[in-house]
Amino acid sequence: MSWRLIGYLSCYILLCLSLSGIAASSSEEGRLEIFSVSGEEQLTGTEVSDNRLFIRSTNGVYVVEDGGSVTSRFTIGNSRVFQPYKNLSNHVLWCNTEMCSLRSTNNLGISAWTVSADIEANLQHSTLVDVDDTTLALQTGQTVPFQEGSSTNVLDVLRYDFSFSSTDYTNKPSTPPQIQLSGSLRFRSRLCTTCTGEYLEVVSDPNSSSSSQSYYIFSMFDELNSNAGGFTAIYKILNSDKGTTAYDITLAKFLTTFVKVQNARLTCDSSKSADIVKYVRSDNGSLLYASFQGKICKIVLSSITFGDSSEPQPVAMDLLNIDTQTNITALGSISRDGFQFLIVGQNGNLKQYYVQSDPINAILVNEVQLPNGVAMEINPKPDKSGYYVTTEQKVIFFPISNCEQHKDCTTCLTSIHPLCGWCANEGRCGLETDCTMGFVSHGNTESCPMIAAVQPMNVYIVDNRNVTITTRNVPDLEYNCRFKFQSENIEFTKTATMVTADKFSCMSPNETALKPIVDSLRGNAKPLLQLVRRDTGASIVETSDLLNFFDCRAFVQCLQCVAHDTCQWCPGDVACKPVMTACSSNIAPYTNNTSDRCPQIIATPTAEVYSIPAHVDQMTRLRTYVQFADSTLRNTSYTCMFEGVEVNGRLIEKTLPTEGISTAVVECDSHEFTLNGAVQRMVDFSIIFDSNYIIENPKGLKIFVYSCSSLSVDCAQCIRLPEELTCGYCSDTNSCSMREDCNGIVSNSNMCPMNILEFSPKSGPKEGGTTVLIKGLNLIPHLPNMATVNIGNSKCTVQSDDTFIPAKQFSCVTGTSSDDDTDDGTPGSPISVTFKDSTNMTRQLTSEITFSFIDLSVSSVQPINGIQSGGTVLTIQGPSLTVGSTHKVTLKQTSGDLDCPVLYDDQYVKPNQLFCKTAKSTEAGRYSVEVTVDHWTSLQSSTVMYSYELDPEVNSVDLNQTFEMGGIDIQVTGMRLDPVQTAIIFFEQTSSRRRRQAMKERFQAACTEKDTVLVCLSPNVTFTGEMSEFMVGFQLDGLEVEPSTINQIVQVYRNPTFTSIRGGNVEQPSDNLMDIVIEGTIARADLVKQYVTVQIANDSRATCDVIDVTESQLTCHPDNIPVGIHAVTVVLGNQRVMVGQLTIVDLLSVLWIALMSALGAVLLCAALILIIGCCICQRRVKKKILTYKMVHESEKEVLHQQV
């Protein structure tokens, strides 16, 4: 099988494949998506031929019908098709870097021929540059430096002659057309020795009727001079009738005629030249549009002339007024009905311009946003109905106009698009070719069909009347009248009778049909009145302003009622009734001529005032005037309504009637208004009498809710507020408030208090750049302001930023200063502010406190090294480093600088110290530490260094099993751990468990460095079940060591429980300590034994060595326990459980105490016996003495008697 047959089969197979999501789909602005590709495939260009599109992509060439269906797709060889040419007697010539192929447009998928081997061999470095019905031109690309006086080719253009007969190539012929090499065109330059060139195109002489008078255009560039202030571009024209004769054309004479997109330069506005971005020739060949450096030029090609030397003269050219500051990706041109249009693709936007000739101008008539991508190519459709836009993955058709968006004749004819006209017989805007007849051209608005008048304009729905419609410029057709109530979505159609050539009569809808509509619209219903074609129903003319249906019975207010001649207001009935209908009361009805008698709110009897002031957050008793005509209305009840809140009202003042009309004051009870976050606002209100009638407010009087403080920025403006607002500047509170709330009022702006209360910071570097925030009373009222701020000899520039609060605070940035001290030796200088207040009066303030300019320096940085991943907190020491407003630390090196963000947390705020956290570095090495405070930089005075070391590595983690409470010691070994400042260990559940739990949670704990290892505590974790597996990771300063790199699995178990000492609290002799048994539930006894300890007493020498652990108990042996009562605590990691008490006693001490106790008892007994004995003896002595006394007294009595 020959390779040619393989090629045919391949093409046929590709034709049958569904290769793209291609479906013509319409969208807004009339666009139609013709073709699209997806994935990595990209479009590279589109050719338009009659009703076919030839779309090139990275996967081949698609042939697409105008409607969007794909006819075929094929490739040529193994490389991308770079250029198609068409319209060669129903054939298309395609070339790539391997071959050229001629394809029949009737059978593209099967018939294929390749050209001769000579062309095939040269195509490896060739470009297809031109083809017509008889000649194929290929640029060989074999460009070499040109030597003066030599015949070496700058480039060869190979000409291949071929011709087509009337042979039908629908069926494959036996032999393909022969294409013969007829010769080559060669030329040389006389101007430069290092020129290279490009073939541009073949141009026919526009001034010659001879088809053979054509010119081959080349561009040549001086490569040696291209890097030295520009290059020299030389265009060559070769007359086909003059053999190999070459002509030199200078840049000034020919550059503006035919331009090469990438390398040519253009001078369009006589001021500068620039690189051309894109260019396109108009479809009639007479114009060239070229874009360059934000401008677009219109070049008239037909003005080119050729003399005997074949040197063209300068062409007519104008600068178009088109904003092309954004990137231009494509240009397209289309002319229709004598109008020129330029289509510009700018990024994702597509703009269509109407190009005027006199005066030269470009008017934007349409702009659309492409759905995605940017425009790469713009091709007009052959019938000039629109254009195709090719993006990276789509081909989209856009119509030349979007006239259909204009719904009325005047808008259509005054639209910006010159092709739009009015189709009078169809009642729509469109192109002339789209109209059947009766086309009104653009701008001819006086010819627009219209409704000039409607009689009567107001129709009472009870009256079933004829409506007469007067028209202009209406086509002679049969019509109906359509009454369309759009808000109700209801319409009525009546037959229109022609009265005269421009008048029609229609019967209005009846009362039954109209009443529900009019009632829902509160008495008035304006329909859209249309004259519609009786045959098609198309609206030809319409109006929505000239006809109104009304019903007196639906009007609920007086003024609304009497606005209609056929309605009257019955004040006694408080109702609107038709004229001549009797009112139930004796009060005469009000009509259109007596509307001033209707009850209505007025501001004052004499002045036009449109608001009533009401201060916010204050109970306001509102008063307003009501005008009315009849005394019977005076004695009714009144209600005031404020934003849905009802308060009572009453008449408090009356005036004598003037011509039957009285005025009274209605006072409303107190009501508190709010601003609801606004500075000021207007509030609607209403007054109701007889519980249901709302007094009309024809002037739209509102309540002005305000706050004195919100209406003034400073004292001076407060004093100038209108008197009726009763605002004043309170001297006691230094604020603008209601006068009644002040204990003292500043009455003159010259007496306004002004002061600088505070500012921060209080110091900054002498180099300046410090942003100082200044706060005070009645400061700068607004920005911009002619304000100046000075600190000593330094100017402080006022800033317009979000720190500004009118009259209260502003910021300024200090300049450089040489001040050290004030004159009296006190450090610093006061701040002086000069500004204009709200009355434009100049004010000057000086602060009592001072601002100091400081000399700064850096003395040290700690630590001096850290890991490469950053995260090290540097402590930068230096006097007064914390002054100023902005601080920055930079680690500088020739390979690139690194930021070290300054830390401002409370723990890092210390005098004379700055703290920053290092960023990640791509390599290890030494860096200079630069500290910047405002405009001061440390490298100006001193240099301190910091080194990035290689990141640490973790080699092993000495832990496989642990408990959930954490706190178990873990030894971690690795390399380069010394520079690590902060180390954290974390546990992370394994991926399988994370998937089951749909979560990823980390548990972390701190580590400390000990010798060459890290000692970490296992973290406290949570999980479900009895055991869970975790992976171990580390955060070492800025380095995160992922668990996957360590690959260490740790099994974590539930905590054991320890309840109490067996037998309760234990007492033991000190010389014979016994084992202590602690009961509990211990799942992993072997693991517990590794880490558990039992603490007794607070003496470090006291121990209770764990000797055995089982599932139900822990046994330990106490040692060196002092005598006394001690708590027994089980310690396992972070778990501490007090399980009971242990009492230790000493036997010798007990015996000695017992002996001493016995001896004491004996002595106590002896003492008691002695005391008792003494008491008995004393009693006996007393008895004997008493007996003696009695005997003695008796003897004395006897003796006395004897005597």
Side-chain angles (χ1 to χ4, degrees):
M1 182 180 294
S2 68
W3 66 267
R4 185 170 297 175
L5 180 57
I6 294 175
Y8 298 155
L9 291 175
S10 299
C11 289
Y12 180 76
I13 293 172
L14 288 172
L15 177 62
C16 299
L17 293 176
S18 176
L19 298 168
S20 175
I22 303 166
S25 60
S26 62
S27 62
E28 68 275 9
E29 293 98 18
R31 69 176 66 167
L32 179 68
E33 186 176 304
I34 300 297
F35 180 81
S36 66
V37 296
S38 59
E40 296 182 356
E41 183 178 6
Q42 289 191 347
L43 303 182
T44 59
T46 301
E47 298 291 330
V48 182
S49 175
D50 296 330
N51 60 345
R52 284 195 180 103
L53 301 178
F54 299 93
I55 303 173
R56 305 188 304 278
S57 82
T58 52
N59 288 356
V61 178
Y62 296 88
V63 183
V64 181
E65 299 299 325
D66 184 39
S69 60
V70 180
T71 302
S72 60
R73 196 211 81 174
F74 61 91
T75 58
I76 300 178
N78 296 318
S79 60
R80 168 176 149 188
V81 174
F82 62 71
Q83 187 70 46
Y85 280 82
K86 69 280 182 187
N87 290 334
L88 304 176
S89 300
N90 294 324
H91 287 72
V92 180
L93 181 70
W94 309 84
C95 292
N96 63 8
T97 57
E98 296 178 354
M99 65 183 73
C100 286
S101 179
L102 188 66
R103 304 293 180 102
S104 166
T105 58
N106 294 323
N107 199 350
L108 287 170
I110 298 177
S111 62
W113 301 274
T114 58
V115 297
S116 64
D118 291 334
I119 296 182
E120 217 173 305
N122 288 325
L123 291 178
Q124 292 295 332
H125 303 285
S126 300
T127 302
L128 178 64
V129 289
D130 199 33
V131 66
D132 55 26
D133 285 344
T134 61
T135 304
L136 162 68
L138 293 174
Q139 176 178 310
T140 65
Q142 304 294 330
T143 58
V144 296
F146 182 78
Q147 302 298 323
E148 186 173 4
S150 169
S151 60
T152 304
N153 291 341
V154 173
L155 55 86
D156 286 343
V157 176
L158 306 180
R159 294 184 58 190
Y160 294 86
D161 295 331
F162 58 94
S163 62
F164 295 98
S165 65
S166 60
T167 304
D168 183 6
Y169 290 113
T170 302
N171 298 317
K172 178 188 172 186
S174 57
T175 58
Q178 296 300 309
I179 301 179
Q180 302 293 334
L181 177 63
S182 60
S184 62
L185 307 177
R186 300 182 178 183
F187 61 92
R188 64 177 183 239
S189 172
R190 301 192 300 271
L191 296 183
C192 65
T193 60
T194 56
C195 287
T196 60
E198 282 187 274
Y199 180 96
L200 290 183
E201 57 184 305
V202 179
V203 181
S204 297
D205 186 348
N207 298 319
S208 173
S209 59
S210 173
S211 59
S212 62
Q213 194 72 13
S214 58
Y215 299 88
Y216 295 85
I217 310 301
F218 304 88
S219 65
M220 296 179 59
F221 302 96
D222 188 347
E223 292 184 336
L224 290 185
N225 296 328
S226 62
N227 297 324
F231 54 80
T232 301
I234 305 159
Y235 282 79
K236 308 295 259 180
I237 298 181
L238 184 61
N239 189 316
S240 61
D241 293 338
K242 297 184 179 180
T244 58
T245 305
Y247 298 91
D248 296 329
I249 305 300
T250 63
L251 176 65
K253 292 184 178 180
F254 198 69
L255 189 54
T256 57
T257 305
F258 297 103
V259 292
K260 188 64 179 173
V261 174
Q262 296 177 344
N263 296 323
R265 297 177 77 81
L266 180 66
T267 301
C268 190
D269 59 356
S270 303
S271 62
K272 55 187 175 181
S273 62
D275 292 331
I276 292 170
V277 180
K278 294 286 182 183
Y279 76 96
V280 65
R281 191 184 300 183
S282 62
D283 50 1
N284 61 11
S286 63
L287 299 174
L288 185 76
Y289 298 102
S291 69
F292 72 104
Q293 200 179 55
K295 300 179 185 298
I296 291 184
C297 282
K298 172 187 173 186
I299 302 167
V300 182
L301 297 179
S302 59
S303 64
I304 183 172
T305 58
F306 292 87
D308 293 338
S309 61
S310 297
E311 295 183 1
Q313 303 303 312
V315 297
M317 127 184 97
D318 293 288
L319 179 65
L320 296 182
N321 183 23
I322 296 179
D323 178 17
T324 59
Q325 298 302 319
T326 56
N327 183 35
I328 292 180
T329 58
L331 286 176
S333 174
I334 188 170
S335 59
R336 176 164 177 163
D337 300 338
F339 297 101
Q340 282 284 339
F341 297 96
L342 179 65
I343 301 96
V344 181
Q346 293 178 262
N347 294 333
N349 288 327
L350 199 67
K351 297 181 180 181
Q352 181 183 348
Y353 293 91
Y354 161 45
V355 181
Q356 291 180 324
S357 299
D358 188 17
I360 180 69
N361 193 17
I363 301 173
L364 180 64
V365 295
N366 193 22
E367 180 176 4
V368 295
Q369 180 76 32
L370 292 174
N372 51 45
V374 298
M376 300 188 304
E377 264 188 14
I378 301 172
N379 296 284
K381 191 175 180 180
D383 64 3
K384 301 185 179 181
S385 62
Y387 46 90
Y388 299 98
V389 177
T390 304
T391 67
E392 294 93 334
Q393 291 194 317
K394 293 179 183 293
V395 177
I396 307 170
F397 173 77
F398 289 91
I400 194 171
S401 72
N402 54 354
C403 302
E404 64 279 357
Q405 68 176 324
H406 307 298
K407 301 305 180 183
D408 64 88
C409 181
T410 301
T411 305
C412 173
L413 301 186
T414 57
S415 67
I416 202 167
H417 203 294
L419 292 179
C420 291
W422 188 254
C423 301
N425 284 25
E426 301 162 44
R428 64 180 181 84
C429 188
L431 303 179
E432 184 173 6
T433 55
D434 299 333
C435 294
T436 54
M437 58 185 301
F439 182 74
V440 182
S441 60
H442 189 268
N444 191 18
T445 55
E446 65 276 6
S447 299
C448 278
M450 63 176 295
I451 295 177
V454 177
Q455 289 294 330
M457 295 181 63
N458 291 287
V459 178
Y460 187 28
I461 65 171
V462 176
D463 303 331
N464 194 12
R465 301 185 56 177
N466 273 319
V467 176
T468 301
I469 304 172
T470 303
T471 65
R472 294 178 188 168
N473 304 321
V474 173
D476 185 12
L477 300 169
E478 291 185 334
Y479 295 101
N480 288 331
C481 291
R482 180 185 294 159
F483 302 88
K484 192 171 186 179
F485 299 91
Q486 294 172 299
S487 62
E488 305 301 307
N489 197 24
I490 297 174
E491 62 182 44
F492 305 99
T493 302
K494 301 289 184 178
T495 301
T497 302
M498 180 181 290
V499 180
T500 64
D502 59 355
K503 284 187 178 182
F504 300 85
S505 176
C506 302
M507 183 63 68
S508 66
N510 59 37
E511 179 185 4
T512 303
L514 289 175
K515 184 170 176 50
I517 301 172
V518 175
D519 286 347
S520 67
L521 297 175
R522 298 184 178 181
N524 289 291
K526 286 189 174 184
L528 177 65
L529 177 60
Q530 299 175 318
L531 274 183
V532 300
R533 288 181 57 161
R534 197 172 297 172
D535 54 352
T536 65
S539 174
I540 302 303
V541 288
E542 60 186 35
T543 179
S544 60
D545 299 324
L546 300 180
L547 178 63
N548 178 55
F549 293 103
F550 69 93
D551 185 0
C552 300
R553 297 161 296 182
F555 300 134
V556 296
Q557 289 190 307
C558 179
L559 290 173
Q560 187 184 34
C561 173
V562 300
H564 294 275
D565 293 336
T566 56
C567 298
Q568 64 180 358
W569 181 257
C570 298
D573 301 335
V574 193
C576 185
K577 297 182 178 181
V579 172
M580 305 308 294
T581 301
C583 296
S584 61
S585 68
N586 296 325
I587 304 175
Y590 307 153
T591 62
N592 185 264
N593 296 325
T594 57
S595 62
D596 56 346
R597 302 178 67 85
C598 289
Q600 53 193 286
I601 296 173
I602 60 174
T604 67
T606 58
E608 290 289 336
V609 179
Y610 296 99
S611 64
I612 303 172
H615 195 274
V616 70
D617 300 328
Q618 191 173 49
M619 299 302 292
T620 300
R621 189 178 293 272
L622 187 73
R623 291 185 179 186
T624 186
Y625 291 88
V626 176
Q627 175 181 295
F628 51 91
D630 299 281
S631 59
T632 56
L633 299 181
R634 299 180 184 178
N635 300 321
T636 57
S637 61
Y638 290 84
T639 301
C640 303
M641 182 76 72
F642 306 117
E643 297 181 302
V645 179
E646 293 185 0
V647 298
N648 293 328
R650 66 199 62 82
L651 260 68
I652 61 172
E653 295 180 12
K654 302 175 183 178
T655 62
L656 295 176
T658 301
E659 296 181 357
I661 299 176
S662 300
T663 302
V665 175
V666 174
E667 181 182 71
C668 303
D669 285 349
S670 298
H671 179 72
E672 184 177 355
F673 295 92
T674 60
L675 284 173
N676 294 339
V679 175
Q680 62 190 45
R681 67 190 187 103
M682 305 297 287
V683 175
D684 293 321
F685 77 102
S686 56
I687 297 177
I688 305 170
F689 74 84
D690 281 348
S691 302
N692 59 7
Y693 183 77
I694 300 176
I695 299 178
E696 292 174 90
N697 186 1
K699 299 293 185 181
L701 186 68
K702 296 177 182 292
I703 300 171
F704 175 59
V705 182
Y706 68 99
S707 166
C708 293
S709 59
S710 65
L711 295 179
S712 62
V713 296
D714 62 2
C715 171
Q717 188 173 12
C718 179
I719 293 173
R720 291 163 59 96
L721 289 176
E723 184 69 23
E724 60 269 19
L725 298 182
T726 67
C727 294
Y729 194 83
C730 304
S731 58
D732 56 332
T733 60
N734 286 314
S735 63
C736 189
S737 303
M738 298 291 289
R739 294 194 193 105
E740 61 190 51
D741 297 333
C742 297
N743 290 327
I745 296 177
V746 178
S747 59
N748 191 312
S749 60
N750 291 325
M751 300 173 62
C752 285
M754 296 183 178
N755 194 12
I756 296 176
L757 299 178
E758 61 174 316
F759 59 83
S760 64
K762 300 294 189 300
S763 56
K766 288 184 176 181
E767 290 76 8
T770 303
T771 300
V772 183
L773 182 64
I774 301 172
K775 300 180 180 181
L777 290 176
N778 296 301
L779 299 179
I780 301 173
H782 55 77
L783 292 176
N785 190 289
M786 301 296 292
T788 59
V789 181
N790 292 287
I791 306 175
N793 64 5
S794 173
K795 182 179 179 181
C796 197
T797 305
V798 177
Q799 303 298 295
S800 297
D801 54 25
D802 55 6
T803 64
F804 176 73
I805 300 177
K808 294 181 179 180
Q809 74 175 33
F810 68 93
S811 61
C812 65
V813 177
T814 62
T816 58
S817 175
S818 59
D819 283 353
D820 290 323
D821 299 314
T822 56
D823 294 337
D824 61 359
T826 304
S829 302
I831 295 180
S832 175
V833 182
T834 303
F835 63 95
K836 299 278 189 180
D837 68 10
S838 61
T839 64
N840 208 32
M841 183 178 294
T842 301
R843 304 286 187 174
Q844 186 169 2
L845 301 175
T846 301
S847 66
E848 295 182 359
I849 52 180
T850 60
F851 181 93
S852 301
F853 289 98
I854 308 295
D855 284 322
L856 307 182
S857 64
V858 174
S859 56
S860 66
V861 173
Q862 291 295 331
I864 61 173
N865 62 346
I867 67 173
Q868 191 174 328
S869 289
T872 304
V873 176
L874 302 186
T875 303
I876 304 168
Q877 189 81 25
S880 303
L881 283 182
T882 55
V883 304
S885 57
T886 59
H887 307 82
K888 182 180 180 181
V889 179
T890 307
L891 306 179
K892 303 183 74 67
Q893 193 187 57
T894 56
S895 61
D897 298 343
L898 297 174
D899 286 334
C900 188
V902 176
L903 305 175
Y904 293 103
D905 296 344
D906 291 342
Q907 60 179 318
Y908 297 114
V909 178
K910 298 180 181 179
N912 303 319
Q913 288 182 340
L914 284 180
F915 299 86
C916 71
K917 183 174 288 188
T918 60
K920 183 177 181 180
S921 174
T922 56
E923 58 184 5
R926 285 171 58 81
Y927 286 76
S928 300
V929 180
E930 179 186 73
V931 180
T932 301
V933 179
D934 298 335
H935 288 171
W936 173 81
T937 302
S938 64
L939 292 185
Q940 297 173 353
S941 56
S942 60
T943 302
V944 291
M945 305 299 293
Y946 173 80
S947 296
Y948 275 104
E949 308 290 346
L950 293 175
D951 280 341
E953 295 180 6
V954 175
N955 294 335
S956 65
V957 179
D958 185 21
L959 183 70
N960 294 312
Q961 296 174 327
T962 185
F963 295 100
E964 61 179 319
M965 89 292 286
I968 304 298
D969 284 349
I970 306 171
Q971 282 201 342
V972 181
T973 60
M975 300 173 59
R976 299 182 295 277
L977 296 174
D978 289 345
V980 175
Q981 192 177 61
T982 303
I984 294 174
I985 188 173
F986 61 83
F987 282 8
E988 186 177 287
Q989 287 184 308
T990 57
S991 57
S992 60
R993 183 170 292 274
R994 283 204 309 271
R995 285 194 295 271
R996 290 196 299 269
Q997 295 185 356
M999 61 178 292
K1000 178 180 180 181
E1001 187 174 5
R1002 284 185 174 180
F1003 307 93
Q1004 63 184 38
C1007 302
T1008 58
E1009 187 178 352
K1010 187 175 181 181
D1011 297 331
T1012 59
V1013 299
L1014 290 177
V1015 178
C1016 306
L1017 297 177
S1018 64
N1020 181 12
V1021 303
T1022 58
F1023 57 89
T1024 58
E1026 294 302 316
M1027 187 274 289
S1028 183
E1029 291 185 342
F1030 290 80
M1031 299 184 71
V1032 182
F1034 292 88
Q1035 185 69 46
L1036 307 177
D1037 292 340
L1039 174 66
E1040 182 171 302
V1041 182
E1042 289 287 347
S1044 57
T1045 62
I1046 302 174
N1047 199 25
Q1048 175 81 8
I1049 303 295
V1050 177
Q1051 295 177 332
V1052 182
Y1053 295 90
R1054 288 293 180 196
N1055 295 336
T1057 57
F1058 302 97
T1059 56
S1060 61
I1061 300 174
R1062 180 178 294 173
N1065 295 335
V1066 178
E1067 182 178 297
Q1068 294 188 13
S1070 60
D1071 60 347
N1072 188 21
L1073 296 177
M1074 305 296 291
D1075 292 344
I1076 298 174
V1077 178
I1078 301 171
E1079 296 178 333
T1081 302
I1082 307 169
R1084 286 298 309 274
D1086 56 335
L1087 188 60
V1088 170
K1089 189 174 181 180
Q1090 294 182 46
Y1091 302 112
V1092 72
T1093 60
V1094 180
Q1095 293 182 354
I1096 302 176
N1098 293 324
D1099 192 337
S1100 61
R1101 294 172 297 175
T1103 61
C1104 191
D1105 297 331
V1106 178
I1107 57 178
D1108 187 34
V1109 180
T1110 67
E1111 293 182 356
S1112 59
Q1113 65 184 34
L1114 179 152
T1115 304
C1116 70
H1117 183 76
D1119 193 16
N1120 294 327
I1121 310 300
V1123 175
I1125 301 174
H1126 306 289
V1128 178
T1129 303
V1130 179
V1131 179
L1132 181 61
N1134 291 330
Q1135 185 182 46
R1136 297 178 64 87
V1137 182
M1138 204 276 280
V1139 294
Q1141 292 181 342
L1142 173 63
T1143 302
I1144 303 298
V1145 297
D1146 189 346
L1147 291 179
L1148 292 177
S1149 299
V1150 173
L1151 292 174
W1152 175 253
I1153 292 172
L1155 180 61
M1156 290 298 103
S1157 299
L1159 181 59
V1162 171
L1163 292 176
L1164 179 61
C1165 291
L1168 290 174
I1169 294 172
L1170 180 61
I1171 293 171
I1172 293 172
C1174 290
C1175 291
I1176 295 173
C1177 290
Q1178 184 178 8
R1179 183 178 182 83
R1180 289 179 176 177
V1181 171
K1182 287 184 177 180
K1183 188 175 182 182
K1184 287 182 178 182
I1185 293 174
L1186 181 60
T1187 303
Y1188 172 76
K1189 286 184 176 181
M1190 293 176 61
V1191 172
H1192 180 66
E1193 288 294 329
S1194 177
E1195 288 178 354
K1196 284 178 65 178
E1197 182 65 29
V1198 171
L1199 182 59
H1200 179 66
Q1201 292 177 356
Q1202 290 177 356
V1203 174

